[in-house]
Amino acid sequence: MDLYVILGVDRSASATELKRAYRRLARKYHPNINPGDRETEAVFRRVTEAYEILVDPERRQDYDAHGLPASRAPEGGIEFEGFDFSGAPRGDAASSFGDLFAEVIAESGGRRRPEDGPAVDLHAALQITFEQAMRGGVHEVTVTRVAACDACGGVGARRVAESRCASCAGAGHSRWMRGHMVFSRRCAECGGTGRRRHRPCGVCRAEGVLSRIEAIAVPVPAGVTGGTRLRVPGAGNAGSRGGPTGDLYVTVSVDPHPLFRREGDDLHLVLPVAVHEAALGARMEVPAVGAPARVRIPPGTQSGQRFRLRDRGAPSPRTGAPGDLIVEVRIVLPRVLDERSKELMRQLAENSTEDVRAGLW
Ligand SMILES: [Zn+2]
Ligand SMILES: [Zn+2]
């Protein structure tokens, strides 16, 4: 494109006229005035290049004689090629410039957003029983995840015999005019080569990824507590167009147990004990993680007294080291006493010298 046409000046324009023309254009197309507009940026770059060449007498002379050196290849995206005033009166074109440009921007949909793809991490919930939490092991969660397309191996395209690009008719770029401005854009279908070796994958609509339901194995550490968030690396959504695959985060909830209450890695258990067992002492089995545990109740045990069974609690989900089982005695009186039991109680009362409320009030 002619540099004089780009600046909208005559070939005989003076340095002052060049400067005035450049200022006028810069006020409209400077990137600071139109942040993020790639089309405006392209115009401003070309206008600045044209001005820099023409304002330098030596370079201007060289340009007038030989034209521009071999132009650099566009890097892709929209390139502003210049203004084409053929067939339009100069004055009219100069005044409607900004309006035309506004039209172009509006038609092209403005700035394109960067392709950052969908959020790649996935989240799921896993509910397990208390016993399952104590044992640990592998559980499955079902998720709808975006995974690489099997048909094209995640590429989004399948190889075909080389052919001319239908989108740009082999030109490698498309060209269009708006008013007096000529734009070109590198062909996205063939990447500017004008040739096609692939066609878009029909299975995934060229996305390279598909959404599908999958069962994901989740390793659960023994002793896991409710609310724990487990991470399964690489089980999230696949990034579109070769983006990295995300992780799956599984939030565990553990059903409460009817007998055990967990405090850290210690388990608490209320142990009902009969009067005679508490008075005379007893040995018994209590439920515990894995196998039942043996407890010895010494003679004269009081209600509320606690016994700690080392290492019989829940395994630590981090270290695997078990906590303790804490057994709290609750003395249970018989509900109904037969005549013989009542007689024994009376004898006990006669025999008893201890005041159980001594010193309390
Ligand atoms: Zn595919
Ligand atoms: Zn093409």
Coordinates of all heavy atoms in Angstrom, one line a residue, residues 149 151-154 156 201 203-204 208, ligand 1:
C149 N -10.5 -36.2 23.3 CA -11.3 -37.0 22.3 C -10.5 -38.2 21.8 O -9.4 -38.0 21.4 CB -11.7 -36.0 21.1 SG -12.4 -36.9 19.7
A151 N -11.2 -40.0 19.2 CA -11.2 -40.1 17.8 C -10.0 -39.4 17.2 O -9.4 -39.8 16.2 CB -12.5 -39.5 17.2
C152 N -9.6 -38.3 17.8 CA -8.5 -37.5 17.2 C -7.3 -37.4 18.1 O -6.4 -36.7 17.8 CB -9.0 -36.1 16.8 SG -9.6 -35.1 18.2
G153 N -7.4 -38.1 19.2 CA -6.3 -38.1 20.2 C -6.1 -36.7 20.8 O -5.0 -36.4 21.3
G154 N -7.2 -35.9 20.9 CA -7.1 -34.6 21.6 C -6.6 -33.5 20.7 O -6.5 -32.4 21.1
G156 N -8.1 -32.4 17.8 CA -9.2 -31.7 17.3 C -9.2 -31.7 15.8 O -10.1 -31.2 15.2
C201 N -11.9 -32.5 13.4 CA -12.5 -33.8 13.9 C -14.0 -33.6 14.1 O -14.4 -32.6 14.8 CB -11.9 -34.2 15.2 SG -12.6 -35.6 16.0
V203 N -16.1 -35.7 15.6 CA -16.6 -36.3 16.8 C -16.6 -35.2 17.9 O -17.5 -35.1 18.7 CB -15.7 -37.5 17.2 CG1 -16.2 -38.1 18.6 CG2 -15.8 -38.6 16.2
C204 N -15.5 -34.5 18.0 CA -15.4 -33.5 19.1 C -15.6 -32.0 18.6 O -15.4 -31.1 19.3 CB -14.1 -33.6 19.8 SG -12.7 -33.3 18.7
G208 N -11.1 -31.1 20.3 CA -10.1 -32.0 20.9 C -10.5 -32.7 22.2 O -9.9 -33.6 22.7
Ligands
ZN1 ZN -11.8 -35.3 18.1

